[in-house]
Amino acid sequence: MVVKAYPLGMVRMINNNGISEDEGDSGVEPYIGLEFDTAEEARDFYNSYATRTGFKFRTGQLYRSRTDGTVSSRRFVCSKEGFQLHSRTGCPAFIRVQRRDTGKWVLDQIQKDHNHELGGHIEETTTPRPSVQQRAPAPTKLALSVPHRPKMKVVDEADKGRSYLSGVISFKRFKGAEESDGQTQPKAPEPYAGLEFGSANEACQFYQAYAEVVGFRVRIGQLFRSKVDGSITSRRFVCSKEGFQHPSRMGCGAYMRIKRQDSGGWIVDRLNKDHNHELEPGKKNAGMKKITDDVTGGLDSVDLIQLNDFSNHINKTRENTIGKEWYAVLLDYFQSKQAEDMGFFYAVELDSNGSFMSIFWADSRSRFACSQFGDVVVFDTSYRKGDYSVPFATFIGFNHHRQPVLLGGALVADESKEAFSWLFQTWLRAMSGRRPRSFVADQDLPIQQAAAQVFPGTHHRFSAWQIRSKERENLRSFPNEFSYEYEKCLYQSQTTVAFDTMWSALVNKYGLRDNMWLREIYEKRENWVPAYLRANFFGGIPVNGTFEPFYGTSLSSLTSLREFISRYEQGLEQRREEERKEDFNSYNLQPFLQTKEPVEEQCRRLFTLTIFRIFQSELAQSYNYLCGKTYEEGAISRFMVSKCGNENEKQAVTFSASNLNASCSCQMFEYEGLLCRHILKVFNFLDIRELPSRYILHRWTKNAEFGFVRDVESGVTSQDLKALMIWSLREAASKYIEFGTSSLEKYKLAYEIMREGGKKLCWQR
């Protein structure tokens, strides 16, 4: 018998006589085969059942169709399911409803037994839809589950007192503002765009006086600093009910922003007078503290309240450049992703007051990509180039086609050492503790300090865009001749000794020994000068350091909250589609050989198309060089390789006959992981017809994505190894599905391969 299910209070049942009877609140007990028109009806039915039985429920995981992405089944569970909160007991009670081809939802799995005491009739559980416009007051605790991760304590002793979110967030309740004495204040003038002030403190006092007359309290909101000298360029004063971190706040949009003028004064450039709550004219803002206009002074995001008897100061809180409305939307997005992707990881940083700060996330594909291509990581903060309203940063690697791959995304709350340290530690935890060999990031001191702390032993390289920006800023007054010689010094110096010599001659020639910026940048030359970087592996990044941002211009300062997630996913899918195309081409296209050398055929068989073309170019160029032995002692020989017709273009190659090791003064293999034309010339001279295996980096081969197993001995836990295997097999299976569904013939072939493989797996068991 199939029972038609209705929403709460409308459940109807068929009796033995075939007559339908209204059951009202008494309802029926859930059982397999119970049918509903929608998943919402199933949820309401289980809510009614839970209320009668004496427990509360939650909406659990949902599952999507691999064909069209629609929701195919849902779980509704006891509120005590799981262990993320102390109040939960791992209760197994649940129901699962599955969508049938008819569009109906049928209850196909059920567990009625609870592992805790049940109460009597309780208030019905409400499960409102996530919404930015209508947000519930912040609960005391909010559970954010990270797959396969127990609740974590503080990672490092140096970070005691700071919270890491990978299990449970505790909200600390703020003390409410004290009541004013109710005295009526003189009427203050209305603020308007263009209103000028002599100082930021004068503007703050003006807005406070205006707020007392109108009837609301003021907080000092975000401030923005100059990228040049760090001075404050603009400030926001907001209604105390702005945001949602405290139950008393309701997302009020009223604010006044002032901007610093070149004259040193301040002007109102943005203003919103509309409040979304009742006003209390005459209510005072007491205990206001003056703000200063220097780099370190002032308050930010602090209620302007009268200090009580138990406290004689206001704790300084960190700035937060992330709009408060972003958290609800992103957390809802993360939870939906986690339901369909067991490897999805996310974390939220908390400040000392329990408020949300920076956010990090990475899906299973990004985490798997890091196991393959996490040796070189770029922390891309392109948002800092301009007046970006979204502080979106990305961790980028480079795959075996030299394409950028996403290794994680983040919103950075502020540009402090604490923020970057938390972000780097969280990324490292998500990537199973795999530290990169080389790390590219901006040269700002907080980033440098955080990188040195979290990635000891990793070579830190400065972002090329930031170096170029500093050069334009500091060298624009110099003559063109200096710029030409400066570029020549950077990019034509083959060794560190040659660079140091040319640099010294340059600054002496133009009398720049006392130029502070040139002195500072020279002291940091190991982090940005090509001659110093060549000894470190930066596979995929050109010597000049320029590369295309992962998202290009699709995410910018104009990207709204509504568009961010869709553009983020579209850009990510586009990049991954490009990677799939290159995988297909590498396996199915055969590039032409330009020589008859066995080494060329060897590399065509192993390397991806992109990498093989680079190698092929070096091999072809090797025919334009002459090779002569200059030294020999035992198994060690040294060769001078020079270009025909140009004796100035030459490199020294050292070769060991005992183990076939070769090194070149150009250091191309150390930097790019590919042999240079000079070593290839020596190999040809010595009649070495195939490359030794050490010169075929696995990360550049066609099957690089399945090579993580060879690195298992590097300290990966059994739990992380299982996750890596799951992600690897899932990627392989997705390719079978993608290629196998392109035609009936390929489907039959893919099915036969998987069937035969399945037989072998079953036999091994």
Side-chain angles (χ1 to χ4, degrees):
M1 176 185 72
V2 176
V3 175
K4 171 75 172 180
Y6 293 85
L8 182 63
M10 296 178 60
V11 177
R12 299 175 63 83
M13 186 173 181
I14 309 298
N15 65 16
N16 293 333
N17 297 323
I19 302 173
S20 63
E21 298 176 352
D22 285 320
E23 290 294 323
D25 286 340
S26 62
V28 295
E29 294 223 349
Y31 61 89
I32 292 178
L34 194 57
E35 188 178 89
F36 306 90
D37 284 334
T38 64
E40 286 70 24
E41 287 187 4
R43 182 195 63 220
D44 293 340
F45 169 80
Y46 197 57
N47 186 12
S48 177
Y49 167 73
T51 302
R52 298 193 308 273
T53 308
F55 69 95
K56 292 186 177 182
F57 88 102
R58 290 185 293 111
T59 300
Q61 286 182 309
L62 58 82
Y63 301 88
R64 297 184 181 274
S65 166
R66 294 191 179 275
T67 304
D68 56 10
T70 58
V71 178
S72 58
S73 65
R74 282 185 176 275
R75 281 168 54 96
F76 304 106
V77 302
C78 175
S79 63
K80 294 184 179 292
E81 181 261 357
F83 296 95
Q84 290 95 330
L85 293 177
H86 296 299
S87 61
R88 298 185 184 176
T89 62
C91 181
F94 78 99
I95 66 168
R96 191 182 84 165
V97 291
Q98 190 170 41
R99 192 187 66 203
R100 296 294 168 85
D101 294 338
T102 60
K104 303 291 185 181
W105 293 75
V106 176
L107 195 156
D108 68 334
Q109 291 183 15
I110 187 172
Q111 171 61 263
K112 294 183 180 179
D113 297 332
H114 297 257
N115 65 357
H116 56 90
E117 293 184 1
L118 300 177
H121 186 91
I122 62 176
E123 293 296 322
E124 294 174 3
T125 303
T126 59
T127 56
R129 295 274 187 270
S131 172
V132 179
Q133 288 77 18
Q134 297 178 348
R135 296 174 62 175
T140 303
K141 288 186 178 180
L142 171 65
L144 298 182
S145 60
V146 177
H148 311 301
R149 297 276 175 183
K151 288 183 285 186
M152 303 290 293
K153 292 185 178 180
V154 176
V155 173
D156 197 295
E157 288 296 318
D159 292 291
K160 283 184 178 179
R162 302 184 63 247
S163 299
Y164 287 79
L165 173 61
S166 77
V168 178
I169 301 177
S170 295
F171 288 96
K172 293 185 178 180
R173 301 182 66 86
F174 301 90
K175 294 182 179 180
E178 295 186 3
E179 296 295 328
S180 66
D181 57 11
Q183 294 181 359
T184 304
Q185 300 295 318
K187 183 174 179 60
E190 293 257 335
Y192 59 87
L195 185 59
E196 296 184 355
F197 302 94
S199 67
N201 192 61
E202 182 183 322
C204 183
Q205 291 175 337
F206 167 84
Y207 196 58
Q208 186 201 27
Y210 163 73
E212 290 177 359
V213 173
V214 175
F216 65 96
R217 292 182 181 274
V218 175
R219 282 190 297 117
I220 299 177
Q222 290 176 313
L223 58 81
F224 299 89
R225 297 183 185 273
S226 166
K227 302 295 184 184
V228 178
D229 57 9
S231 61
I232 298 172
T233 57
S234 65
R235 282 187 176 274
R236 279 168 56 99
F237 306 107
V238 302
C239 174
S240 64
K241 294 186 180 293
E242 181 262 359
F244 296 94
Q245 290 97 324
H246 187 270
S248 66
R249 300 185 186 176
M250 50 204 318
C252 181
Y255 75 97
M256 181 181 81
R257 193 181 87 162
I258 57 173
K259 190 172 184 179
R260 192 182 66 194
Q261 303 292 93
D262 293 338
S263 62
W266 297 77
I267 187 171
V268 177
D269 68 332
R270 294 184 185 179
L271 180 69
N272 184 358
K273 298 181 183 180
D274 298 330
H275 297 259
N276 64 356
H277 55 90
E278 292 185 1
L279 301 174
E280 302 176 60
K283 192 166 188 175
K284 284 189 175 181
N285 282 286
M288 184 180 72
K289 189 173 181 177
K290 287 187 177 181
I291 56 177
T292 59
D293 294 337
D294 62 11
V295 174
T296 58
L299 301 171
D300 52 278
S301 298
V302 178
D303 283 327
L304 297 178
I305 59 175
Q306 179 66 43
L307 304 179
N308 57 36
D309 295 335
F310 301 99
S311 176
N312 59 6
H313 68 281
I314 297 179
N315 289 328
K316 177 127 175 27
T317 60
R318 287 163 47 197
E319 304 166 21
N320 189 344
T321 57
I322 304 173
K324 304 302 185 294
E325 68 277 7
W326 284 76
Y327 293 103
V329 174
L330 287 177
L331 292 179
D332 181 58
Y333 168 69
F334 296 159
Q335 289 166 355
S336 66
K337 292 293 291 184
Q338 201 172 59
E340 61 190 47
D341 179 0
M342 62 174 292
F344 191 92
F345 179 102
Y346 68 95
V348 180
E349 181 193 17
L350 304 180
D351 68 5
S352 58
N353 293 322
S355 300
F356 285 174
M357 296 296 287
S358 298
I359 310 174
F360 170 79
W361 68 94
D363 65 8
S364 60
R365 185 66 185 91
S366 292
R367 299 175 73 188
F368 178 61
C370 190
S371 71
Q372 311 157 313
F373 311 116
D375 45 5
V376 178
V377 175
V378 176
F379 180 55
D380 185 9
T381 54
S382 299
Y383 73 87
R384 306 173 78 232
K385 293 182 183 179
D387 187 21
Y388 275 56
S389 58
V390 184
F392 175 57
T394 52
F395 291 86
I396 303 298
F398 293 88
N399 66 14
H400 50 332
H401 308 295
R402 283 196 168 187
Q403 297 170 313
V405 291
L406 187 67
L407 304 181
L411 293 187
V412 185
D414 65 352
E415 297 183 356
S416 64
K417 177 191 173 185
E418 290 80 6
F420 292 120
S421 294
W422 176 88
L423 188 55
F424 296 162
Q425 287 171 341
T426 304
W427 179 85
L428 192 62
R429 195 165 72 245
M431 304 305 162
S432 304
R434 291 170 174 262
R435 289 185 175 88
R437 291 170 58 182
S438 303
F439 187 70
V440 183
D442 294 347
Q443 67 180 100
D444 300 68
L445 186 59
I447 295 180
Q448 290 184 50
Q449 292 174 334
Q453 174 188 332
V454 181
F455 304 129
T458 296
H459 192 85
H460 181 196
R461 177 177 181 173
F462 295 155
S463 298
W465 75 264
Q466 195 180 44
I467 293 292
R468 298 286 88 81
S469 176
K470 295 289 185 181
E471 287 172 349
R472 288 191 295 269
E473 180 182 333
N474 291 279
L475 306 179
R476 59 188 174 188
S477 61
F478 291 5
N480 293 334
E481 292 80 4
F482 174 85
S483 299
Y484 170 77
E485 294 182 45
Y486 175 84
E487 294 287 323
K488 183 179 179 180
C489 176
L490 283 184
Y491 298 112
Q492 295 186 21
S493 301
Q494 296 299 317
T495 65
T496 56
V497 174
F499 170 80
D500 291 340
T501 302
M502 293 179 68
W503 182 275
S504 180
L506 181 67
V507 295
N508 285 335
K509 178 180 178 180
Y510 290 92
L512 299 173
R513 282 288 178 189
D514 296 327
N515 184 287
M516 187 59 67
W517 183 78
L518 288 175
R519 289 175 59 182
E520 290 177 355
I521 203 69
Y522 179 74
E523 290 174 1
K524 299 286 187 179
R525 57 192 180 280
E526 293 183 357
N527 302 106
W528 68 281
V529 174
Y532 281 89
L533 295 173
R534 287 195 183 98
N536 301 278
F537 182 70
F538 284 97
I541 302 179
V543 173
N544 63 10
T546 59
F547 58 88
E548 181 186 357
F550 188 84
Y551 280 96
T553 58
S554 61
L555 292 177
S556 69
S557 60
L558 301 177
T559 304
S560 65
L561 173 59
R562 183 180 304 174
E563 297 176 324
F564 178 82
I565 292 177
S566 62
R567 290 194 182 185
Y568 169 84
E569 292 205 318
Q570 288 170 6
L572 181 58
E573 179 55 32
Q574 180 180 343
R575 288 289 192 181
R576 289 177 175 173
E577 177 62 25
E578 292 169 358
E579 181 179 359
R580 287 190 288 268
K581 288 180 180 177
E582 283 300 314
D583 284 341
F584 179 85
N585 291 339
S586 291
Y587 276 107
N588 293 277
L589 298 181
Q590 192 87 304
F592 291 109
L593 297 177
Q594 296 182 4
T595 72
K596 295 182 179 180
E597 300 288 348
V599 69
E600 186 179 14
E601 172 58 37
Q602 175 194 14
C603 291
R604 180 175 71 168
R605 186 176 67 254
L606 297 174
F607 286 146
T608 61
L609 278 179
T610 301
I611 300 303
F612 173 72
R613 287 181 180 126
I614 297 172
F615 171 82
Q616 190 178 50
S617 174
E618 290 296 313
L619 181 63
Q621 287 292 332
S622 71
Y623 287 96
N624 297 324
Y625 285 75
L626 298 175
C627 175
K629 185 182 293 187
T630 60
Y631 171 86
E632 184 174 7
E633 182 177 343
I636 304 299
S637 303
R638 187 168 298 137
F639 299 84
M640 185 61 65
V641 182
S642 57
K643 190 170 184 179
C644 298
N646 186 357
E647 287 294 324
N648 294 325
E649 190 175 328
K650 56 187 177 182
Q651 299 291 342
V653 175
T654 303
F655 175 76
S656 173
S658 61
N659 54 15
L660 301 183
N661 272 352
S663 62
C664 181
S665 56
C666 77
Q667 298 181 302
M668 178 175 172
F669 183 77
E670 288 79 3
Y671 184 84
E672 298 190 43
L674 288 169
L675 284 181
C676 61
R677 61 194 67 177
H678 315 107
I679 292 180
L680 291 174
K681 184 63 181 182
V682 172
F683 280 1
N684 181 268
F685 179 81
L686 297 174
D687 201 30
I688 298 175
R689 297 302 181 185
E690 285 201 349
L691 298 188
S693 59
R694 70 174 63 87
Y695 297 116
I696 306 288
L697 294 193
H698 188 75
R699 76 170 331 278
W700 296 134
T701 62
K702 297 176 183 179
N703 61 338
E705 55 192 357
F706 307 115
F708 70 89
V709 176
R710 60 195 288 160
D711 299 324
V712 168
E713 64 272 12
S714 61
V716 179
T717 65
S718 59
Q719 186 176 5
D720 288 333
L721 175 60
K722 183 175 181 180
L724 286 171
M725 291 190 293
I726 289 173
W727 301 333
S728 177
L729 290 174
R730 181 181 295 158
E731 284 300 306
S734 68
K735 287 182 172 60
Y736 273 96
I737 294 171
E738 180 182 359
F739 299 142
T741 54
S742 60
S743 68
L744 184 59
E745 290 74 17
K746 289 185 178 180
Y747 163 76
K748 292 178 180 179
L749 177 60
Y751 184 84
E752 183 63 25
I753 293 172
M754 295 177 72
R755 190 172 69 86
E756 290 300 318
K759 288 181 181 179
K760 294 180 181 179
L761 283 175
C762 294
W763 178 78
Q764 287 182 356
R765 289 183 63 187

